[in-house]
Amino acid sequence: MNPETRRRTPLELYRSIWISLEIFRQATAEEITTVTPGASYRAIRAALRRLETHGYVTKQGNRKAVYLKAVKSLYLHGDCERCGASLSATTCDFTNQ
């Protein structure tokens, strides 16, 4: 199977987005989609929402949202460092915010 067309795991997608934001410093979902082969715009948006929920990225603007890294780290772990849940979880139960 061609590696560009195979389906990515959620963790691979999160890490691809993380690397893209490290390189671009700030990017829209469309820009990230163009540099992430095998990922749809819809999948990128969903992953960005999960990373935003867990506090790893921040969103600026509404209509043409620009995403920035909120955590200064080169490596993205599979679990949230604040709540301990998987990054795929839709909520972050970190109570000391």
Side-chain angles (χ1 to χ4, degrees):
M1 178 178 273
N2 185 355
E4 291 186 10
T5 58
R6 74 174 179 81
R7 187 172 178 179
R8 293 176 178 268
T9 65
L11 185 56
E12 289 174 335
L13 187 58
Y14 298 138
R15 287 184 177 159
S16 293
I17 291 170
W18 196 250
I19 291 168
S20 297
L21 289 175
E22 181 67 30
I23 294 167
F24 289 139
R25 300 288 184 231
Q26 63 181 18
T28 63
E30 294 87 5
E31 292 170 337
I32 295 171
T33 303
T34 60
V35 296
T36 309
S40 68
Y41 173 76
R42 187 175 181 179
I44 295 291
R45 288 284 311 264
L48 283 167
R49 280 193 302 272
R50 297 293 188 268
L51 289 172
E52 185 180 9
T53 297
H54 289 283
Y56 284 90
V57 299
T58 58
K59 179 173 73 170
Q60 294 180 342
N62 289 326
R63 186 160 178 93
K64 187 78 167 181
V66 175
Y67 294 90
L68 304 131
K69 286 175 67 174
V71 176
K72 303 297 181 205
S73 173
L74 292 176
Y75 186 74
L76 183 66
H77 299 282
D79 296 330
C80 178
E81 293 178 3
R82 299 188 319 168
C83 70
S86 169
L87 290 175
S88 296
T90 57
T91 60
C92 184
D93 296 329
F94 183 67
T95 57
N96 297 329
Q97 292 182 353

